[in-house]
Amino acid sequence: MNVSTRWLTDLVPGLVAAPEALAEHLALRGAPVEEITTPGEGLGDLVVGKVLAARSHPNADRLSLCDVDGGDGVVQVVCGAPNVKDGAFYPFAPVGAVLPGDFTIKKAKIRGEVSQGMLCSAKELGLGDDHEGILELPGDFTPGERFVGALGLDDATLDVEITANRGDLLSHVGIARELASEGEGRVVLPAIEGAPALEVEYAEGDGRVSAGGVAIRIDDPELCPRYLGAVIRGVEIGPSPAWLRERLRGAGARPINNVVDATNYVMLELGQPLHAFNLARVGGSSIVVRRATESETSFTTLDGQERALSRDTLMICDGDGPVAIGGVMGGLDSEVESDTTDVLLECALFEPRSIRATRHRLGMSTDASYRYERGVDPEGLRTAIERAVTAILAVAGGTLDGPILDCRPRPFRPETVDLRLSRIEHVLGVPFEADAVEELLAPLGFAVEDRTERPAEGTVADTILHVRVPGFRSYDVTREIDLIEEVARTHGFDRFPSELGPARPGTVPDHPLFRLEDELRIMLAGRGLLEAQTPAFVPAGEGDLEVSNPLATTEPFMRRALVPSLLRRVEHNLAHGNRNVRLFELGTSFRKGESGEPPHESPHLAAVLTGLREPPHWSRVGEPIAVWDLKALFADVVHMAYGGPLPITAEPVEGVRLDPAVTFAARTEGGGVVGHAGRVADAAVDTPPWAGDVWAFELTLPEEPAPAPTVVHRPLSAHPASERDLALIVPAGVTAASLEAAIRSGAGSDLESVEPFDVYEGEELADGARSVAFRLRFRAPSRTLKDREVDRHVARVLTRLEEDLGVTARG
């Protein structure tokens, strides 16, 4: 958005600041300035020249000789424009001047006559599109005065970066609101030079309205909730006066003609696009707002391009057919031309999403569509059309014929948002008084309609402000937190203390699944794994849910598992010589639903590992990752995800890329498989000959994780522990887990820990039997255990082992 600083100072009484200071202030308000330029940049060598006499060139019919006073005496200039006349003022480039494009003026001989300078056209100076005639300067000037200063081109233009949610800043008034606190705290529209007194009446209607021989009808109120039209008769099309041209140039716009310039002036000032139709070419003197019909497949816009239409394109039509694409661009057949005498001025409100879709579909963007798709002020339409009518009457003459037509089938109703002072303090960390909040919001257009005092939690009273949101902020200010942001911006982020009090942005806790994912990230990162993020789109064979509009034809499906994508990252790393790869990913898997049902989505965790167990070091020989490393990591992940251990058994799992001989499965109590782990099959991954085994696991996370167990404090015992070692002869088929369970059930509450420390298999043992040694530690919290008590515990353990499992003590 190009903003004229001179225009801003006229809008904000008392605003006195250099362009750099304005840029700094806007940056602190969230609208940084990308660049500061001047419309007269590159024109510093030009002066105002007065043509004293113009005569025909003796050797060329289309050239003339002009005696020009450029302030340093009278010189002769050869000119090829037909509009040079005696006594008029023109931009003059003397010998040595440099024009835009790095073009230096030199003394030259043209058809036998010496030319000592150049009279310039608007196009040559970058100030307009007219290149056939020299730019005549209306008014009285002193020959030789600087051209830039004489035409007011020494204005500074700010290139302000506007975010997509702040359509209200696409106007000088919107920017002025942000700067109002630097002046007298208010925004005032400057008077228009030569504007007549205007008394306006309105003819209103819900879906149809007519007056003064013109009718307006809205057939699609969903896409166009309001449309205003004004008829101005007897206008005279011509160049705009100097003040209007200066205003437009200061904002980075080029003058066209007085009527179009007036509509652009209002758009740049208020942010409301307007369009002027040549009323003589509006069939039936009627406007119909509707979508394109099946037969209306194309339309020629003002730029001469033929645009393809669809049934969703909103069109502005007359009695014969379309005359404009609603909110985007007018048509070539109804444009205002030099012979136009009567105009129909349009001021409308369009649905932003419709304009955005149309602009994207047509592949074009205009000043109007850029504003409409971000939302214009639904309460400012009458102000805008009255301002535009006044400007046209001032610069093009004519009269307003009849009342202004206002067709609004869907009236706008402003919203009121409640703002709690306690909430402001919670979010911003500092307290604000109600009067201070009202003073901060008022310059931005927010009005506090009422206040409510009520007790908050406990005995502290709270104040609630009922804030009316202005129409130009109705698109982005819809919640209490949005108002708090406005308070912070207006107060000034740089004015908050460097050390704020405790603040809590919200009281709603994170979803248990999000907390679980964060805990898993911390745990896996601590084990040396790096988090990866792979696309959800995969080739055929890795998913059963096909995408209707894939980004790439090679990846038309949504993934059903994460491991295949991670394996491609492993291949990429190995191909680049990275031998030790440890990656994990938290993502979503997709499966096709039943007929008529949406696809099923489930959160997954997957990991792949290859290379050494530990980082290489000169003091030891690195060992590769083994199956037990994978199983231990998998068991820890399952334990964290499901709030406790699940059975992990060695068994083949179908439909995965793992070696069936080295595969584990984790099952729930109901027997369902929720995860699998193992060695990746050789055919499933392309690795170089020097690479080791690749290990992987994938786990389906619970959508509603179990709540974390309550942490219970238990003080450490001050009494010593008693240890006993048991060597047990274990028959074939008895697992270590069943041994530990039997020991704990027979030892009683004084058992503190059970640890296996030796396994032996030898000839003196029966076939399949083995000797397993456990160390049992006993401790009482309040006293020292006696040996006979510990011996009784051990005796009960041995009895339980022999009765339940057939395990005996080794002699």
Side-chain angles (χ1 to χ4, degrees):
M1 170 69 184
N2 290 321
V3 179
S4 163
T5 56
R6 188 169 293 167
W7 203 337
L8 290 177
T9 56
D10 288 345
L11 286 167
V12 182
L15 178 62
V16 179
E20 293 75 14
L22 297 178
E24 182 179 358
H25 184 89
L26 289 172
L28 292 174
R29 303 296 293 272
V33 174
E34 295 290 328
E35 187 181 14
I36 301 177
T37 59
T38 61
E41 188 174 2
L43 305 179
D45 293 343
L46 271 75
V47 297
V48 175
K50 182 178 182 179
V51 175
L52 302 179
R55 57 191 181 278
S56 299
H57 193 292
N59 302 320
D61 295 337
R62 297 186 178 183
L63 299 179
S64 60
L65 299 179
C66 303
D67 295 331
V68 179
D69 182 2
D72 292 330
V74 179
V75 296
Q76 178 176 277
V77 175
V78 177
C79 180
N83 65 324
V84 179
K85 56 187 179 182
D86 296 350
F89 295 93
Y90 303 93
F92 174 57
V95 173
V98 180
L99 296 183
D102 201 23
F103 177 68
T104 303
I105 302 298
K106 300 179 181 179
K107 182 178 179 180
K109 182 175 286 189
I110 303 175
R111 293 291 183 94
E113 294 290 337
V114 175
S115 179
Q116 301 185 68
M118 177 178 175
L119 298 175
C120 304
S121 69
K123 187 170 186 178
E124 290 167 336
L125 302 180
L127 301 178
D129 296 326
D130 185 9
H131 64 88
E132 295 181 355
I134 300 304
L135 177 61
E136 183 176 347
L137 308 181
D140 191 19
F141 301 91
T142 301
E145 66 176 302
R146 290 298 172 186
F147 171 75
V148 170
L151 262 68
L153 299 178
D154 50 351
D155 191 5
T157 302
L158 308 180
D159 183 5
V160 185
E161 181 181 345
I162 309 298
T163 55
N165 66 311
R166 293 299 304 275
D168 62 297
L169 295 183
L170 295 174
S171 67
H172 281 73
V173 166
I175 298 294
R177 291 192 199 98
E178 300 293 325
L179 299 170
S181 59
E182 298 292 298
E184 298 178 4
R186 58 195 177 97
V187 176
V188 179
L189 296 181
I192 296 177
E193 293 184 21
L198 185 65
E199 295 183 2
V200 177
E201 296 180 355
Y202 286 89
E204 302 179 4
D206 293 337
R208 181 194 303 265
V209 62
S210 61
V214 176
I216 296 175
R217 187 179 82 239
I218 297 178
D219 290 347
D220 199 327
E222 179 182 353
L223 301 187
C224 179
R226 192 174 183 184
Y227 191 102
L228 283 77
V231 177
I232 304 175
R233 301 187 184 276
V235 299
E236 184 175 345
I237 305 300
S240 298
W243 71 265
L244 180 53
R245 296 200 302 269
E246 291 173 15
R247 274 282 190 257
L248 297 179
R249 289 171 183 146
R254 287 189 174 186
I256 300 174
N257 62 52
N258 46 11
V259 171
V260 176
D261 291 349
T263 60
N264 287 338
Y265 171 82
V266 175
M267 180 186 68
L268 293 172
E269 183 179 61
L270 300 177
Q272 171 66 55
L274 300 106
H275 184 71
F277 295 102
N278 186 345
L279 185 59
R281 297 187 178 183
V282 177
S285 296
S286 64
I287 291 293
V288 180
V289 185
R290 58 171 174 79
R291 302 189 194 214
T293 63
E294 292 183 357
S295 60
E296 295 167 348
T297 58
S298 64
F299 179 75
T300 304
T301 50
L302 277 172
D303 55 2
Q305 300 294 318
E306 187 171 345
R307 312 286 180 177
L309 304 179
S310 69
R311 290 294 306 276
D312 294 327
T313 306
L314 184 68
M315 304 300 296
I316 310 300
C317 308
D318 61 7
D320 302 325
V323 294
I325 300 176
V328 180
M329 186 178 283
L332 185 63
D333 294 338
S334 60
E335 70 173 324
V336 172
E337 297 178 326
S338 58
D339 59 348
T340 299
T341 57
D342 301 333
V343 298
L344 172 63
L345 185 63
E346 168 197 275
C347 181
L349 179 65
F350 298 114
E351 204 282 320
R353 287 174 295 182
S354 168
I355 303 302
R356 188 180 305 116
T358 299
R359 187 266 302 166
H360 180 73
R361 187 166 52 249
L362 297 178
M364 62 184 299
S365 180
T366 62
D367 289 337
S369 68
Y370 191 75
R371 287 165 172 80
Y372 274 127
E373 66 181 275
R374 285 159 176 79
V376 300
D377 183 6
E379 297 178 307
L381 273 70
R382 286 195 173 185
T383 300
I385 198 167
E386 290 179 18
R387 187 78 168 164
V389 168
T390 301
I392 292 176
L393 296 181
V395 301
T399 57
L400 176 64
D401 185 11
I404 296 177
L405 285 69
D406 188 352
C407 187
R408 47 178 177 178
R410 294 176 59 184
F412 172 77
R413 293 179 176 83
E415 296 288 338
T416 300
V417 177
D418 291 344
L419 177 60
R420 297 166 291 171
L421 295 185
S422 61
R423 181 65 173 162
I424 297 176
E425 183 175 358
H426 288 163
V427 174
L428 301 182
V430 294
F432 283 85
E433 297 293 334
D435 291 340
V437 171
E438 187 169 354
E439 291 177 2
L440 292 172
L441 293 177
L444 301 180
F446 298 92
V448 177
E449 296 183 331
D450 194 10
R451 301 182 185 182
T452 301
E453 303 287 342
R454 73 177 186 186
E457 296 180 2
T459 59
V460 181
D462 194 9
T463 301
I464 303 175
L465 305 181
H466 306 287
V467 182
R468 181 188 184 277
V469 179
F472 54 82
R473 296 303 302 276
S474 60
Y475 301 95
D476 70 309
V477 178
T478 58
R479 305 167 298 166
E480 183 182 40
I481 193 64
D482 299 327
L483 286 175
I484 296 175
E485 180 185 359
E486 296 304 306
V487 171
R489 287 194 321 107
T490 312
H491 176 72
F493 293 114
D494 56 332
R495 295 178 57 194
F496 284 95
S498 57
E499 295 183 1
L500 296 177
R504 185 187 182 102
T507 58
V508 179
D510 291 337
H511 191 279
L513 177 60
F514 299 157
R515 295 202 301 268
L516 171 61
E517 290 178 344
D518 288 340
E519 293 170 357
L520 289 169
R521 285 189 177 96
I522 294 172
M523 188 265 281
L524 291 171
R527 302 289 181 90
L529 280 76
L530 300 177
E531 184 173 5
Q533 292 183 345
T534 60
F537 304 105
V538 294
E542 295 184 14
D544 53 11
L545 180 62
E546 190 169 5
V547 181
S548 59
N549 55 340
L551 297 178
T553 57
T554 56
E555 296 177 337
F557 289 86
M558 302 294 288
R559 63 187 176 191
R560 74 168 71 93
L562 277 60
V563 165
S565 297
L566 288 177
L567 291 178
R568 282 192 284 272
R569 306 318 305 157
V570 170
E571 292 172 349
H572 177 81
N573 276 272
L574 293 176
H576 287 76
N578 298 325
R579 296 172 179 262
N580 304 310
V581 183
R582 299 185 179 195
L583 301 175
F584 76 93
E585 180 174 8
L586 286 159
T588 304
S589 71
F590 304 85
R591 290 187 178 274
K592 184 182 295 186
E594 300 295 333
S595 177
E597 293 184 357
H600 297 299
E601 302 180 23
S602 58
H604 277 215
L605 167 64
V608 292
L609 307 93
T610 186
L612 298 179
R613 176 183 296 147
E614 299 175 342
H617 193 268
W618 61 268
S619 64
R620 58 183 177 272
V621 178
E623 296 182 358
I625 297 173
V627 63
W628 303 114
D629 300 312
L630 175 72
K631 186 177 181 183
L633 180 62
F634 185 53
D636 290 344
V637 167
V638 171
H639 188 284
M640 180 177 289
Y642 285 87
L646 294 181
I648 297 177
T649 58
E651 58 178 283
V653 180
E654 298 181 357
V656 298
R657 301 190 174 195
L658 304 180
D659 183 355
V662 193
T663 308
F664 302 96
R667 295 182 178 273
T668 61
E669 294 181 357
V673 176
V674 294
H676 49 268
R679 190 182 73 85
V680 178
D682 294 336
V685 60
D686 184 13
T687 60
W690 47 261
D693 291 333
V694 179
W695 307 90
F697 71 78
E698 184 155 350
L699 177 67
T700 301
L701 300 179
E703 296 184 1
E704 293 290 339
T710 303
V711 178
V712 179
H713 168 70
R714 186 175 65 184
L716 295 175
S717 176
H719 302 279
S722 296
E723 294 183 349
R724 295 290 189 274
D725 291 345
L726 295 181
L728 306 175
I729 298 178
V730 183
V734 178
T735 64
S738 60
L739 284 174
E740 182 177 347
I743 292 172
R744 290 186 178 278
S745 63
S749 60
D750 290 335
L751 179 65
E752 186 177 80
S753 65
V754 180
E755 297 177 359
F757 65 89
D758 183 59
V759 177
Y760 170 77
E761 295 178 351
E763 296 179 356
E764 61 269 27
L765 299 178
D767 292 342
R770 64 191 187 282
S771 173
V772 181
F774 286 88
R775 178 164 293 139
L776 283 60
R777 175 175 295 170
F778 297 89
R779 192 197 307 263
S782 59
R783 61 188 178 85
T784 301
L785 292 175
K786 297 180 180 180
D787 287 342
R788 62 175 178 273
E789 293 179 291
V790 177
D791 291 341
R792 283 198 297 270
H793 292 327
V794 172
R796 285 197 300 269
V797 168
L798 292 174
T799 301
R800 179 64 59 85
L801 289 171
E802 185 172 2
E803 291 177 352
D804 293 352
L805 303 175
V807 174
T808 60
R810 182 180 178 187

